[in-house]
Amino acid sequence: LKDNTIHGYAQALKTFCRFLEREGFAPTNAMAKVQMPKVAKRIMPAFSPSDIRKLLDVSLCRRDTAIVLCLLDSGARGSEFVGLRICDVDLRTGATRIIHGKGGKDRTCYLGAKARKALIKYLRERPDAQLGDPLWVSHTSGEQLTYAGLRHALRRLGSRAGV
């Protein structure tokens, strides 16, 4: 098993033993002195400029192109990214408000000129969109893009591009 899986199992056991002790089902916490297994810190490899070019070349729609460029510029996490509303992005300056990010904190990130241009082209395809509407919508349902939908779109692009 991978170290993350082992750590997850150990954490569940530790929590369960703490519950048993607190509720009086066990006299002591059997996991109190057990050292938690270490989890290696892994840094994802960065995309090379040629990888990014390949992803953009295989993007069949403006939405996917805008997604790739905006993700690269913003550095937003997937769940933060799909939660964006149109009003969260200032298309002139590129200032993008990430609301309720990791740890419940708000922050601002910025989109570059290429990402803003791609985003404007994508939004022109949605003439009925209002400021409070989701920034990213599904092709099939027209509803807000979910994290799973974003992951699926990126995997599809990556597989087409060989990245």
Side-chain angles (χ1 to χ4, degrees):
L1 299 175
K2 290 195 173 203
D3 53 358
N4 280 325
T5 304
I6 295 169
H7 187 272
Y9 289 161
Q11 187 64 48
L13 278 173
K14 194 168 194 162
T15 302
F16 182 62
C17 289
R18 203 171 30 240
F19 163 78
L20 292 175
E21 180 186 30
R22 187 180 65 237
E23 296 297 320
F25 294 115
T28 60
N29 181 348
M31 292 285 289
K33 294 183 180 179
V34 174
Q35 287 283 4
M36 291 298 287
K38 299 290 182 201
V39 177
K41 292 188 179 190
R42 295 177 187 87
I43 297 175
M44 297 281 294
F47 285 113
S48 70
S50 66
D51 289 343
I52 295 166
R53 174 62 26 221
K54 288 177 190 174
L55 286 170
L56 293 172
D57 287 343
V58 299
S59 295
L60 300 178
C61 64
R62 290 190 171 138
R63 184 200 71 173
D64 290 351
T65 300
I67 283 175
V68 169
L69 291 171
C70 290
L71 274 172
L72 286 168
D73 280 0
S74 70
R77 292 169 181 84
S79 58
E80 298 168 345
F81 192 73
V82 296
L84 289 173
R85 303 263 169 216
I86 294 172
C87 60
D88 294 333
V89 179
D90 182 337
L91 294 172
R92 283 176 300 137
T93 64
T96 305
R97 289 181 321 184
I98 306 288
I99 299 172
H100 305 303
K102 186 172 181 179
K105 296 178 183 170
D106 297 349
R107 70 179 191 281
T108 302
C109 58
Y110 293 88
L111 302 177
K114 286 182 183 178
R116 287 195 316 260
K117 193 178 289 187
L119 189 53
I120 289 168
K121 287 179 182 178
Y122 162 63
L123 288 173
R124 282 188 186 140
E125 293 180 347
R126 298 176 53 202
D128 297 336
Q130 303 295 315
L131 286 176
D133 290 349
L135 182 59
W136 308 107
V137 295
S138 166
H139 287 311
T140 55
S141 68
E143 298 291 319
Q144 181 171 350
L145 188 66
T146 63
Y147 178 77
L150 175 66
R151 189 175 61 236
H152 177 72
L154 292 173
R155 282 190 176 152
R156 187 182 66 241
L157 281 174
S159 128
R160 252 193 264 142
V163 173

